[in-house]
Amino acid sequence: MRFYPPLFFQRIWVQKFENDFRSCTVKVSKSFLNKNYNGSIFGGTIYAATDPFYALLFDQLMQREGFKVRVWLKSASIQYLKPGRSALYFTITITDEMLAEATHALKTAGKFVKAYPMEITNKNGELCATVMNEVYVRNLHQGETPRVAY
């Protein structure tokens, strides 16, 4: 994913995926390509960094559970708490409880929608932003055929 253009040009680096896509650690490097006029990381870069990862993890995990799914970020909100004057980091983890809740919803309702928090910190561990990402997962086994690739 390091060379995926929307992430690459914003200097958003996936550091690692762990535990069979149960966790992901991301670094947002500060560079002249994403620095704002105050010398900190552009807020849009921080926001973009959080966009794909819950959807990606849920997609991989649901496929491993045998589901055919369509997954995307339904909504998001961000609170900037401190300027990102150095590299920023975040890790998200899908717990057993989160996976069980999604699996149950897909089997019973055919879809799963839930918001999850994220914390973005600087290299000193100081909290710079908080994000709420609402993930949407649809079970395609219930008669829907995919019309577009995602």
Side-chain angles (χ1 to χ4, degrees):
M1 289 199 60
R2 285 191 178 196
F3 300 109
Y4 180 54
L7 301 180
F8 178 78
F9 290 108
Q10 291 295 314
R11 300 302 187 248
I12 301 165
W13 306 116
V14 176
Q15 291 190 305
K16 60 185 165 181
F17 287 104
E18 291 188 59
N19 302 325
D20 296 327
F21 286 95
R22 287 290 193 109
S23 179
C24 178
T25 301
V26 177
K27 175 183 179 182
V28 182
S29 298
K30 182 178 156 187
S31 82
F32 75 95
L33 293 173
N34 65 12
K35 187 168 62 169
N36 65 21
Y37 70 93
N38 288 320
S40 61
I41 296 175
F42 173 61
T45 297
I46 299 168
Y47 199 65
T50 66
D51 181 277
F53 296 105
Y54 269 114
L56 178 65
L57 294 180
F58 270 107
D59 180 66
Q60 289 296 311
L61 293 170
M62 292 295 100
Q63 286 185 47
R64 290 166 191 227
E65 293 287 317
F67 290 97
K68 182 177 179 184
V69 292
R70 180 172 299 144
V71 185
W72 68 86
L73 180 67
K74 185 175 180 185
S75 69
S77 64
I78 190 166
Q79 296 292 315
Y80 301 102
L81 306 172
K82 184 175 187 163
R85 300 202 184 279
S86 68
L88 299 175
Y89 304 86
F90 65 89
T91 299
I92 61 172
T93 301
I94 307 295
T95 65
D96 289 339
E97 294 79 20
M98 293 163 69
L99 187 58
E101 184 179 16
T103 301
H104 177 72
L106 291 177
K107 287 179 179 176
T108 57
K111 70 178 180 179
F112 173 71
V113 182
K114 186 154 184 181
Y116 295 103
M118 302 171 75
E119 292 185 339
I120 295 115
T121 59
N122 63 18
K123 66 181 181 179
N124 298 323
E126 300 168 316
L127 188 61
C128 293
T130 59
V131 179
M132 283 299 288
N133 277 358
E134 184 179 33
V135 67
Y136 176 96
V137 184
R138 158 92 51 211
N139 184 354
L140 297 180
H141 282 305
Q142 295 188 339
E144 181 181 341
T145 55
R147 291 183 293 260
V148 295
Y150 57 94

